[in-house]
Amino acid sequence: MNGNKSCEENTIIRNASNVIKKMNGYYLIINPEIPNLMVADDLGKTILELMIQQKRKRQDIIKQASAELDCSEKDVEHFIDSLLNAKFVGIPDSPTIMFKKIEPKLIGLQLHLTQACNLKCRHCFFSSGNRLEDELTDVEYLEFVKSFKKLGLRRFTVSGGEPFLRRELLFEMIKEARKQDLDPVSLSTNGTLLTEDDAHLLKKYDVKVGVSLDGGTAETHDFIRGKGVFDKTVRALMILREAGVYTTIGCTLMKANAENAEDVLHLAKKVGVEGVLFNTVRIMGRAKDNISDTHMTDEESAACLKRLWKTARKLGVRTGVESFLDISKGIKRIDLCGAGKTILGVAPNGDVYPCDSFLGINEFIAGNIKEKSIDVIWQDSPVLKPFRSISVRKMKGCCDCYLKYICGGACLRENYEAHGTIDEAPSSCLFMREVFEEMLAELGKKMWSGQ
């Protein structure tokens, strides 16, 4: 901000609500509201603390800091300017934080093609297996997809059950979605039914594929998903990679695989997939029936995630945390997920939900596409209105947390499971906070070392 007439020597400087954490040889300074992050030495930390004491004139701060810390006024002035530019301090009557409210806009759909599945995984929270009697017909599905461009959709994800049990319809929908200019089109599958021809079609239509793999060995994966499934899944991964399909692994962490979950990362590196996306098990459906194999405490989940992210960085396997650690792109301000605000989930029978995490909970059915068009449901359903008004800024368990805009809040389904409401964070946040603090420490270390 050098040369900026709005910040002359008599300008009053005010402090933002910064959090200062002492690290190994430096200080990590976090502005929770932007959010933003910087590192500083003892000198920088002391200057910031002088500014915290009270609203003071810029030149007074410069003179006092220079005299007390035995450094040049020019160095102090340069540091203050960097604080102003990064909004760690501000100028009265020029708010440090001003964010435009984002209006709800439907840009993505999560569509569960069928409830049918060829596996009966221990942790399946949909309890997939048999096809629903009232699933949408092929004609109904295709007519639905043809409306996507008019709706302004940009993203489309297909899952199940197992979508390859409706293979012909699946590819007709993918083909139509690409005609509608949707990008990306994504597919989630267990991989066991995938053929080489399927892989070539997925490449042709530029589909991003996520394959479920819950163990890096046959012993673990087959215990969770069934005998012989591991070999079929690994074969699918190889076929997809050979066809040049963008492929990731989706791994659900649970009691049965947490101890040796690193095996998945080693396999991912060997196969050469684009990355591994870890999530924690949802205790519902068959996961609830097999709770001794699925349930982990919050402490166990957090410890497992931290361990996996460390291993992934050593192996060079992407897990999703890398974008967070890339300071060149800045820290993105997140205020909850897009459930009911930018995305919707559609069940195999046409029921519409704020997102697919709520599938099966009747009170969150926003409508049915057999009865109303998706745009009417989007505009008029009272079920969606609460999702558009909540914020971590007002949410119990989030509002006072300095990580609220970095973490972005828990899954709203988890909120509901814990408290029967979507506007209170679950207790697991206390332990996930440890995970984010470790990532911030890693990021601070990179910044301090100049990486």
Side-chain angles (χ1 to χ4, degrees):
M1 201 176 286
N2 287 326
N4 190 329
K5 296 300 182 182
S6 66
C7 193
E8 304 292 351
E9 64 178 22
N10 289 323
T11 297
I12 300 294
I13 303 293
R14 66 178 174 83
N15 173 60
S17 301
N18 297 309
V19 174
I20 302 175
K21 300 180 77 70
K22 183 173 176 57
M23 310 304 287
N24 185 20
Y26 63 94
Y27 293 91
L28 191 63
I29 303 168
I30 304 161
N31 182 328
E33 297 297 320
I34 298 300
N36 209 347
L37 181 74
M38 70 181 296
V39 290
D41 56 15
D42 287 311
L43 179 64
K45 179 242 188 186
T46 303
I47 293 172
L48 184 60
E49 286 180 334
L50 284 174
M51 301 169 81
I52 287 174
Q53 294 170 8
Q54 56 184 325
K55 293 179 182 179
R56 306 182 62 195
K57 291 181 179 179
R58 171 189 173 92
Q59 195 59 30
D60 290 345
I61 296 171
I62 291 172
K63 287 181 177 179
Q64 182 181 348
S66 176
E68 292 184 6
L69 302 173
D70 192 26
C71 59
S72 72
E73 291 189 7
K74 188 173 182 179
D75 286 343
V76 176
E77 183 175 17
H78 177 75
F79 184 69
I80 289 176
D81 284 341
S82 68
L83 291 174
L84 284 163
N85 280 325
K87 295 183 172 59
F88 285 92
V89 293
I91 304 168
D93 304 321
S94 179
T96 302
I97 305 159
M98 186 177 293
F99 295 102
K100 183 180 179 181
K101 181 181 177 182
I102 299 175
E103 294 300 321
K105 179 176 175 58
L106 181 59
I107 61 174
L109 275 179
Q110 305 160 325
L111 196 151
H112 288 249
L113 190 59
T114 180
Q115 183 74 1
C117 188
N118 60 317
L119 305 181
K120 291 191 182 296
C121 305
R122 291 175 182 268
H123 64 295
C124 181
F125 70 96
F126 292 124
S127 295
S128 295
N130 296 322
R131 180 171 173 169
L132 300 177
E133 293 182 1
D134 59 347
E135 287 188 3
L136 294 171
T137 66
D138 291 8
V139 172
E140 287 172 325
Y141 266 127
L142 288 171
E143 286 301 311
F144 179 47
V145 177
K146 287 177 182 178
S147 70
F148 285 0
K149 189 169 185 178
K150 183 180 72 173
L151 293 170
L153 287 180
R154 299 203 298 266
R155 301 196 303 264
F156 177 47
T157 301
V158 186
S159 62
E162 174 47 53
F164 277 105
L165 288 173
R166 297 186 73 172
R167 179 181 272 103
E168 185 176 344
L169 171 62
L170 171 64
F171 282 108
E172 285 295 321
M173 292 175 66
I174 289 172
K175 182 179 178 181
E176 184 59 44
R178 295 300 287 154
K179 281 183 183 178
Q180 302 283 320
D181 297 325
L182 270 71
D183 185 22
V185 174
S186 304
L187 170 68
S188 295
T189 173
N190 62 40
T192 59
L193 302 177
L194 185 131
T195 67
E196 290 183 6
D197 287 342
D198 293 332
H200 290 302
L201 282 172
L202 292 168
K203 175 61 177 177
K204 176 182 177 180
Y205 294 117
D206 196 24
V207 178
K208 294 185 176 181
V209 179
V211 178
S212 299
L213 184 74
D214 297 318
T217 64
E219 181 181 5
T220 301
H221 188 69
D222 288 358
F223 174 77
I224 294 168
R225 291 184 171 260
K227 187 176 180 180
V229 174
F230 177 77
D231 290 340
K232 293 178 181 178
T233 304
V234 173
R235 177 179 176 273
L237 289 169
M238 299 298 291
I239 289 172
L240 289 165
R241 296 305 296 136
E242 288 171 5
V245 177
Y246 184 100
T247 307
T248 57
I249 287 172
C251 180
T252 301
L253 299 173
M254 66 194 88
K255 194 76 170 180
N257 66 4
E259 188 175 333
N260 52 19
E262 284 92 342
D263 292 342
V264 174
L265 291 169
H266 287 283
L267 181 59
K269 185 175 179 65
K270 180 180 178 181
V271 174
V273 296
E274 301 295 335
V276 181
L277 303 178
F278 290 105
N279 59 81
T280 53
V281 69
R282 299 171 185 170
I283 303 301
M284 54 184 292
R286 279 200 292 272
K288 195 171 185 178
D289 297 335
N290 297 293
I291 197 164
S292 62
D293 297 322
T294 56
H295 179 259
M296 291 196 294
T297 65
D298 297 332
E299 296 96 327
E300 289 171 335
S301 294
C304 184
L305 285 169
K306 287 192 287 185
R307 194 180 77 239
L308 287 169
W309 282 331
K310 286 181 180 178
T311 302
R313 291 200 289 281
K314 288 179 183 177
L315 293 174
V317 176
R318 296 185 66 83
T319 63
V321 70
E322 289 76 16
S323 59
F324 180 89
L325 293 173
D326 186 358
I327 190 60
S328 66
K329 297 179 182 178
I331 298 178
K332 185 179 179 181
R333 190 178 196 262
I334 307 170
D335 192 354
L336 299 174
C337 63
K341 291 186 288 190
T342 60
I343 61 172
L344 291 174
V346 182
N349 66 351
D351 283 339
V352 177
Y353 296 83
C355 82
D356 65 354
S357 293
F358 289 93
L359 263 65
I361 305 179
N362 289 341
E363 68 181 274
F364 290 101
I365 298 175
N368 188 290
I369 61 173
K370 294 178 182 179
E371 301 166 0
K372 294 180 181 179
S373 65
I374 195 79
D375 54 332
V376 170
I377 294 171
W378 176 258
Q379 293 293 336
D380 297 343
S381 175
V383 170
L384 302 176
K385 295 189 185 306
F387 289 84
R388 297 167 182 177
S389 61
I390 58 174
S391 165
V392 291
R393 186 180 67 257
K394 299 181 285 185
M395 185 173 290
K396 186 176 180 181
C398 290
C399 58
D400 295 324
C401 178
Y402 78 96
L403 293 173
K404 59 180 176 289
Y405 290 122
I406 297 174
C407 159
C411 168
L412 297 178
R413 171 61 190 264
E414 291 183 21
N415 291 6
Y416 178 78
E417 286 292 312
H419 305 293
T421 177
I422 62 172
D423 58 4
E424 182 176 352
S427 60
S428 59
C429 279
L430 297 175
F431 301 99
M432 288 306 297
R433 176 170 170 163
E434 295 177 15
V435 177
F436 278 94
E437 287 179 331
E438 185 151 320
M439 289 194 291
L440 284 171
E442 177 81 9
L443 185 51
K445 184 178 179 181
K446 288 179 66 175
M447 294 169 66
W448 184 248
S449 63
Q451 293 181 18

